[in-house]
Amino acid sequence: MAARTVALLLALFVVAASPVQGEVRHRITARLDPAGHRLEATDRITGLTSPHLALLLAPTLAVAAVEGAASWRRDPSGPLLLDGPGGEVVVRYAGTLFDPPRPSGHIRFVAGDATGGTISPEGVFLDGGSGWYPDPGGMALFDLDIHLPEPFVAVSQGRLAGRDGSQSQWRATLPADGLTVVAAPFHPFHGRAGAIDLTCYLMRDDPATAKLFLDAAAGYLATLQARLGEYPYPRFDIVENFFSSGYGMPGFTLLGPQVIAMGEQALKPGYLDHEITHNWWGNGVFVDPHGGNWCEGLTSYCANYLAAEGEGEEAAEEARTRWSARFCLDLPAGHAYPLRRFRTKSTRTDDAIGYAKGAALFHQVRRRLGDDRFFAALRGFAHDYLGRQASWDEIEATFAHAGGEPLASLFRPWLDELGGPEVRIERAEAVAGEGGYHLRAAIVQTPPVYPLDVEVAVETTAGEVTVCRRMAGERLDLDLVLAPLPRRLRVDPHHHLFRHLTFAEVAPSLDALLARGPIFYVVAEGDLGVYRDLAEMAQREHGGKIITSAELPAVGGASVWLLGRAAVAPEAAPLLAGHPPDLAITPTTVRLGEVVSDAATAILATWPRPGDPGRFAGLYWGASEAALARAPYCFYYGADSAIRFAHGRPAARLRWPASVDPLAVAVEALR
Ligand SMILES: [Zn+2]
């Protein structure tokens, strides 16, 4: 899910130490020995103009010779320091790179396994941040000739200029902020999308799976080019990684083996299309490491969100609601930071800020500009900044130009404040008068103020009236004259506003239940081991306490997850009192919606705890051991209120309302 750019912090250090101007070009010849974890390489670098340079290079790589510089030495921490580089600097170096991927250990996908770059018999992964070539920082063109033993097949950036067995040549088509090369004993499968060469590199000889991914990529490329303009590269490759990842590189994506194994499931919008979209945002226009990472918010908006819009208004509204929910649930107190400071994702907090709040900002900009100007501005931005770095400042300037008005007041709070808009209705009253009823209402924001385009719906005795208003300050006064009697006022009825919600304003879900302590996991004595395993998984990541049903009556203000038989124990009855009518529980069956459980059914459901706003109760229950076969995956469905699994696969998903909605009130009728 991440655009794998150079390790930004490291790049910051190097760039700050050695400003580079002009067009830098690397011509790298590398020979890799996976069994010995070894690399032997020559990098011919042109375009270095600064008299003193610090080039990032992994400390395990020894420099044998440098030609074309007045002098050189190694910094003890690794960087290669050059004085007086000439027109071409040639660096010959060799050594080992072996940092086996460390599993992320999260119960849901947050970020892939971590490695600083590795050469191994399982596979090769070397990216810009791993220091596998001498990197002065900033943008550069990369040509690569790579030699590996059979049966390794390498994939890198740029145009594939030639391949002969395990040797291949790659030529730059655009500058990039780093060079990634991966290799494994791949089976390549080819396809096309118009002028774009497609290749799917799999670990197995599996043409059926390859065809699925190639066809999906062709479909997504057509949709995305219509939306964002021409795809920036001559090729797009789908590459199976040898560890868990979801990376987008210029011209290819590196997907974990679990994702490839999902087949059709992995091709639903939000995964492959997200990585393809990074070829515009992050790997086409690159992120300026000094100006904040805007590319995940924009990629999430253009891929994940617009795909939901394509499904229909209900899916789009749900996607918008989830931005606010994630921002509430995944921001533990004291962990918030401004969107402008988002760099890369390693936690769910980073996801809530860089992806959710970032995407929501682009939605507000689109609401301000209108669709035509918004998408024209995006296509112009891709065109104007292709192969260059851009920051939030350039994005703001692009949209301000397209909209014909300054947008600083819109961008500043979104980028620099910690939270999000906090909006509520202060009053809503109707007075009978000339021509009908005067509806007077006040909508207020807690400072800091976010300029908002607010939709207001008034339910009257003769249908609904909708108006749109711009809220530029802390207060928006409405004064409407309506012929029929207004009964109810709803602000933002379709959830276009990203808001800083309280827990009570979030729709119930397992994610909401697990987001805040205290949490109790209830497992009945003698129940199936799978329930205790689940409780322990959740406890490791979210804290809380595992208890038995007998201890339940002593639990005070807390969220409670009932597992297995604990859900039907008599002690659970007070918790079940608040669950929605969609859910019905007997000692032997659970009904969700119209469907009563059979032997293959498992149910995951969460609802607000009665009388305790902001706390949740939930259950996970399976009718048989077979129904629970895929139990650990239930955490992946943590955003839903209720879900019915058949044979471990989701068969129905429901979303229930939050216990509190400060943006819907009854209109008070005054005489
Ligand atoms: Zn991403």
Side-chain angles (χ1 to χ4, degrees), residues 1-3 274-275 278 296 299 355:
M1 303 294 276
H274 180 104
E275 303 307 342
H278 271 310
E296 294 300 349
T299 299
Y355 290 63

Side-chain angles (χ1 to χ4, degrees), residues 404-423:
E405 58 167 333
L407 292 175
S409 66
L410 190 157
F411 274 85
R412 288 297 163 262
W414 278 95
L415 293 177
D416 296 324
E417 298 293 345
L418 294 180
E422 292 177 45
V423 187

Side-chain angles (χ1 to χ4, degrees), residues 366-458:
R366 179 178 165 202
R367 302 267 295 164
R368 174 72 77 96
L369 264 64
D371 282 7
D372 290 350
R373 288 190 295 179
F374 177 79
F375 286 108
L378 279 186
R379 286 189 289 272
F381 180 62
H383 178 268
D384 294 349
Y385 286 92
L386 199 60
R388 295 165 57 197
Q389 292 179 330
S391 71
W392 281 112
D393 292 342
E394 278 86 41
I395 288 185
E396 182 191 320
T398 297
F399 286 119
H401 180 74
E405 58 167 333
L407 292 175
S409 66
L410 190 157
F411 274 85
R412 288 297 163 262
W414 278 95
L415 293 177
D416 296 324
E417 298 293 345
L418 294 180
E422 292 177 45
V423 187
R424 66 197 159 81
I425 301 171
E426 194 178 74
R427 70 186 170 96
E429 55 200 33
V431 184
E434 218 169 303
Y437 295 89
H438 282 264
L439 169 68
R440 296 198 184 96
I443 302 160
V444 294
Q445 271 194 68
T446 308
V449 168
Y450 292 72
L452 300 173
D453 290 297
V454 182
E455 197 183 343
V456 180
V458 187

Side-chain angles (χ1 to χ4, degrees), residues 324-333 499-519 542 559 607-609 612-616 656-662:
S324 300
R326 280 154 69 189
F327 194 71
C328 167
L329 300 176
D330 294 332
L331 237 62
R499 291 188 298 126
H500 199 174
L501 304 175
T502 63
F503 275 77
E505 294 169 64
V506 174
S509 66
L510 180 60
D511 284 350
L513 190 157
L514 296 174
R516 182 172 65 143
I519 307 166
H542 297 279
S559 286
W607 56 92
R609 261 196 82 166
D612 194 356
R615 303 283 179 194
F616 300 90
W656 291 327
S659 52
V660 169
D661 183 358

Side-chain angles (χ1 to χ4, degrees), residues 90-218:
V90 182
V91 183
R92 297 180 206 283
Y93 58 101
T96 56
L97 288 168
F98 183 49
D99 180 19
R102 297 170 295 281
S104 73
H106 293 290
I107 59 177
R108 325 166 183 80
F109 185 88
V110 178
D113 298 347
T115 169
T118 199
I119 300 171
S120 74
E122 292 72 43
V124 172
F125 175 88
L126 299 172
D127 72 344
S130 58
W132 71 277
Y133 57 88
D135 181 8
M139 301 292 287
L141 292 158
F142 295 94
D143 298 332
L144 172 68
D145 289 13
I146 186 161
H147 304 255
L148 283 145
E150 301 274 356
F152 276 81
V153 173
V155 181
S156 189
Q157 290 160 214
R159 182 172 56 81
L160 175 58
R163 192 192 288 285
D164 178 10
S166 281
Q167 305 183 25
S168 53
Q169 296 87 44
W170 305 83
R171 295 294 173 262
T173 58
L174 275 179
D177 59 4
L179 180 65
T180 297
V181 62
V182 298
F186 291 127
H187 296 261
F189 300 90
H190 301 285
R192 278 194 85 73
I196 306 163
D197 282 323
L198 303 178
T199 309
C200 183
Y201 293 92
L202 297 181
M203 296 288 190
R204 295 173 295 129
D205 184 14
D206 184 354
T209 296
K211 184 169 171 15
L212 276 180
F213 279 81
L214 291 167
D215 289 352

Side-chain angles (χ1 to χ4, degrees), residues 164-375:
D164 178 10
S166 281
Q167 305 183 25
S168 53
Q169 296 87 44
W170 305 83
R171 295 294 173 262
T173 58
L174 275 179
D177 59 4
L179 180 65
T180 297
V181 62
V182 298
F186 291 127
H187 296 261
F189 300 90
H190 301 285
R192 278 194 85 73
I196 306 163
D197 282 323
L198 303 178
T199 309
C200 183
Y201 293 92
L202 297 181
M203 296 288 190
R204 295 173 295 129
D205 184 14
D206 184 354
T209 296
K211 184 169 171 15
L212 276 180
F213 279 81
L214 291 167
D215 289 352
Y220 283 133
L221 279 163
T223 306
L224 288 165
Q225 291 193 94
R227 195 177 280 156
L228 303 176
E230 197 181 344
Y231 175 75
Y233 292 101
R235 51 173 265 264
F236 178 73
D237 298 342
I238 300 133
V239 185
E240 179 171 2
N241 201 357
F242 60 99
F243 58 89
S244 166
S245 66
Y247 295 146
M249 320 294 191
F252 70 102
T253 182
L254 196 55
L255 300 177
Q258 306 88 335
V259 179
I260 299 285
M262 281 163 66
E264 200 98 48
Q265 283 284 321
L267 299 171
K268 289 190 302 186
Y271 301 94
L272 183 60
D273 54 336
H274 180 104
E275 303 307 342
I276 297 175
T277 304
H278 271 310
N279 286 288
W280 282 268
W281 315 133
N283 293 326
V285 182
F286 291 80
V287 169
D288 178 346
H290 304 284
N293 182 351
W294 48 267
C295 86
E296 294 300 349
L298 186 53
T299 299
S300 297
Y301 192 71
C302 292
N304 309 49
Y305 174 69
L306 291 180
E309 252 187 27
E311 280 176 47
E313 181 43 37
E314 196 181 328
E317 187 171 335
E318 187 180 324
R320 295 191 295 265
T321 313
R322 283 191 182 177
W323 292 332
S324 300
R326 280 154 69 189
F327 194 71
C328 167
L329 300 176
D330 294 332
L331 237 62
H335 284 66
Y337 57 83
L339 176 55
R340 199 192 290 278
R341 276 188 36 220
F342 169 70
R343 292 287 183 271
T344 185
K345 174 171 74 169
S346 53
T347 65
R348 285 167 70 88
T349 298
D350 300 325
D351 184 85
I353 295 169
Y355 290 63
K357 188 179 181 180
L361 167 55
F362 288 103
H363 191 62
Q364 293 312 308
V365 174
R366 179 178 165 202
R367 302 267 295 164
R368 174 72 77 96
L369 264 64
D371 282 7
D372 290 350
R373 288 190 295 179
F374 177 79
F375 286 108

